[in-house]
Amino acid sequence: QVQLGESGGGLVQTGGSLRLSCAASGRTFRSYAMAWFRQAPRKERDFVAAISSNGGMTDYADSVKGRFTISRDNAKNTVYLQMNSLKPDDTAVYYCAAKNGGYSRTHYPGSYDYWGQGTQVTVSS
């Protein structure tokens, strides 16, 4: 069992930066692939970024490539999402998710076993 808790969301102007954190409970964190998804009002939950259990592989949605960076610290049971050059279209609730069973089908919400409660990110124009 893994429990996830996001933090770091807030209100920022266009072009600004935020760093989201997702703290995980349990001693098995290092065995899970992790990801960030986001959901805007009246839209589906979309993939943002993923990272393998040892941090050696990462993947990004085209819309955030070059602006967002996912990383993890297995000693601290935490995964991060550094978001730069934010745009109003990035406004959403951001969720972290944990996936057992290897680094595959990382773009699909149904592949993930555990989810956090989400943190709101609002980018003003």
Side-chain angles (χ1 to χ4, degrees), residues 4-81:
L4 305 173
E6 303 94 337
S7 61
L11 173 64
V12 64
Q13 292 185 332
T14 296
S17 298
L18 284 174
R19 187 174 85 152
L20 305 184
S21 299
C22 174
S25 66
R27 291 178 288 181
T28 58
F29 173 78
R30 61 181 66 245
S31 68
Y32 287 86
M34 300 295 296
W36 289 94
F37 286 77
R38 66 187 181 186
Q39 188 166 17
R42 297 176 297 280
K43 293 189 176 180
E44 294 184 350
R45 191 168 295 190
D46 290 332
F47 171 77
V48 175
I51 188 167
S52 60
S53 59
N54 66 0
M57 292 182 287
T58 58
D59 193 17
Y60 296 92
D62 288 343
S63 59
V64 307
K65 280 181 182 176
R67 300 189 298 123
F68 290 11
T69 302
I70 189 171
S71 62
R72 67 189 295 162
D73 186 338
N74 284 347
K76 295 182 178 180
N77 279 17
T78 302
V79 63
Y80 305 96
L81 185 69

